[in-house]
Amino acid sequence: MSEKKLKKMLESMTVKELRANSKDLKNLIKKSNIPMYGKFLKNYELNGVLFKKEDLFRLLGENKEFYIVALELPSLNIISLPKKLEEKVFVF
């Protein structure tokens, strides 16, 4: 699927449709060249560093237990976020 078609499809979907198809959509986005962004739902501390609610990050990769993300802060920080915290602490 082309980047334009994927963007158009995502823009046309309702929030309910996006939630219902989130796993399939994540796979489509990963296969495309569109960067996948996320944000923190609440303040979160990791190794003594505080990330604030609404701070943004970009998905770089993942393994079985973690997402590897780059934070969109003044200095680019790369961290691992436990998958078990998705939708509790952060969302894509």
Side-chain angles (χ1 to χ4, degrees):
M1 175 175 282
S2 76
E3 198 171 317
K4 278 186 172 183
K5 287 182 183 178
L6 182 56
K7 283 183 181 180
K8 190 172 183 177
M9 181 187 74
L10 293 173
E11 289 170 358
S12 70
M13 295 177 80
T14 65
V15 172
K16 188 175 181 179
E17 291 171 326
L18 290 169
R19 284 188 179 144
N21 297 297
S22 65
K23 287 185 181 182
D24 293 331
L25 293 172
K26 281 182 187 179
N27 287 332
L28 281 174
I29 291 168
K30 285 178 192 174
K31 290 177 184 176
S32 73
N33 291 325
I34 301 171
M36 194 155 97
Y37 287 90
K39 70 176 179 177
F40 289 99
L41 298 172
K42 59 184 178 181
N43 291 347
Y44 176 66
E45 187 174 335
L46 177 67
N47 299 328
V49 178
L50 178 65
F51 304 104
K52 295 181 183 175
K53 180 180 178 178
E54 303 294 325
D55 278 352
L56 299 176
F57 53 84
R58 180 172 39 93
L59 181 66
L60 299 177
E62 67 179 288
N63 61 32
K64 188 177 177 183
E65 296 180 26
F66 294 95
Y67 292 111
I68 312 305
V69 301
L71 298 165
E72 299 290 314
L73 297 172
S75 61
L76 184 66
N77 293 317
I78 297 175
I79 63 168
S80 298
L81 294 173
K83 287 185 173 183
K84 65 183 179 184
L85 296 180
E86 188 174 3
E87 296 188 20
K88 296 175 189 149
V89 174
F90 63 91
V91 292
F92 288 98

